[in-house]
Each structure stands twice: as C-alpha cells, then as structure tokens.
Amino acid sequence: MTEITFRVPESLALLLEEWAKRIPEMELVSKIRHSESREAVDSCVAIAIREMQQYGAFRFPGYYTFIMMAANEGLVAGMPFFYSAQEFVDYLKQLEIDGLPGRSTIYDTISKVSGRYPNWTFNDHPKAVEEMRRNNIVKQFLSAFGKAKRHLSEGFPENR
C-alpha cells in the first residue's frame, strides 16, 4: 500500500472521506486539522523565538528586528504586520518573551537595512560573515516556526 497526504479545505475533506468509505481498498489513516488561528500562530512564534534564544541565535539585540521585517514582508504566514517597533515589542511581550530590545534598537537596525529579504543590504557595511548571520536569523526563525506549526498540527502539546 501507498500513503498519500493531501492538504484540502474542510468541505472537500468531508467529500473525500465519503469517497474513501466506498472504496474497499482505501483506508483513511489519519485526519489532521491544521490550525491557522491567531492563537496558533502566536504560539508558534513564541516557541520559535524561545528556541532561538536557547541556542543563542540573537547575538545582538537588534537581531529581533529581522523577524519583524520578515513578518512585514509577508514571509511568516499568519503573523501580523507591525506598523512600529513599539507594536512589535509589545506583541513579543504579550507572548511572554524575555530579553527583548527596546524600540530604539529596532528602529536603529531597520535604518541599516535596504531591499527585500533574502537580498537585504546593510548600510553599516558588515563583514560577509555578519551579513550572512543577519540573513540567517530569518532562515532560523522560519525553520523553528515551521517545526512548531508541524508539532501543533500533529497534535503535540506545546513544548516550551
């Protein structure tokens, strides 16, 4: 037998379930509802940031800025748009994230970045290693965020 996974709207899922019941060789192995609610996204953001904090990804306080910028560029599905640095800091405080930078640090970091991810350029002219490290913050966050979403959708309890 072969298992095939589909991601379909709820209305189509019900139709497929009925169809599977009528084919004796077909068996419904599992059904997972993916949660895209604001609470689910917030939980995944918090888990991802805490994971990154644990392994020291935020080498400088300004590195949190890159997550805000990624969210504002639409790279993080479901994460809100932030009109100001203070709004972003307040959002992270609501998620009970500790060790956050102040809004001036975020504004200062934003002023150093031009372009759109992954082609950001930095007007403070960092060395190549630092430029890569800054861009990797977004990659690490997206990876941790995706992992948290998969755990949530698979029914695992929040692990942080």
Side-chain angles (χ1 to χ4, degrees):
M1 299 243 4
T2 302
E3 286 188 32
I4 301 173
T5 304
F6 296 98
R7 183 169 292 140
V8 298
E10 189 66 32
S11 58
L12 186 55
L14 296 172
L15 185 67
L16 288 172
E17 284 180 55
E18 288 302 315
W19 186 54
K21 289 176 187 174
R22 295 185 179 135
I23 301 173
E25 298 85 11
M26 187 181 280
E27 172 190 5
L28 180 61
V29 176
S30 68
K31 180 179 176 182
I32 301 169
R33 284 194 171 82
H34 292 271
S35 179
E36 296 295 330
S37 70
R38 176 66 186 265
E39 294 81 20
V41 170
D42 291 351
S43 176
C44 292
V45 168
I47 291 168
I49 289 176
R50 286 186 189 113
E51 179 179 311
M52 291 176 69
Q53 286 176 328
Q54 283 181 340
Y55 64 78
F58 298 106
R59 188 173 178 164
F60 299 106
Y63 280 11
Y64 288 88
T65 307
F66 305 127
I67 294 172
M68 175 184 157
M69 293 177 69
N72 285 356
E73 288 185 21
L75 299 174
V76 188
M79 197 169 169
F81 185 92
F82 302 99
Y83 292 97
S84 69
Q86 188 61 53
E87 188 178 341
F88 178 64
V89 171
D90 290 345
Y91 172 75
L92 295 181
K93 285 180 180 177
Q94 284 179 326
L95 301 180
E96 299 177 359
I97 304 294
D98 297 324
L100 296 173
R103 64 186 169 112
S104 61
T105 300
I106 293 181
Y107 281 128
D108 289 347
T109 305
I110 289 171
S111 71
K112 296 175 185 175
V113 183
S114 299
R116 292 187 58 83
Y117 181 83
N119 300 313
W120 285 339
T121 56
F122 304 93
N123 66 15
D124 62 339
H125 310 292
K127 292 183 179 180
V129 171
E130 176 60 18
E131 190 168 319
M132 185 174 21
R133 190 176 290 128
R134 292 174 183 183
N135 279 300
N136 281 343
I137 289 293
V138 175
K139 288 180 187 177
Q140 293 168 4
F141 177 76
L142 292 173
S143 175
F145 180 80
K147 184 172 109 180
K149 275 183 83 168
R150 283 189 301 279
H151 275 69
L152 186 66
S153 70
E154 292 168 358
F156 290 104
E158 187 176 315
N159 60 354
R160 308 239 187 268

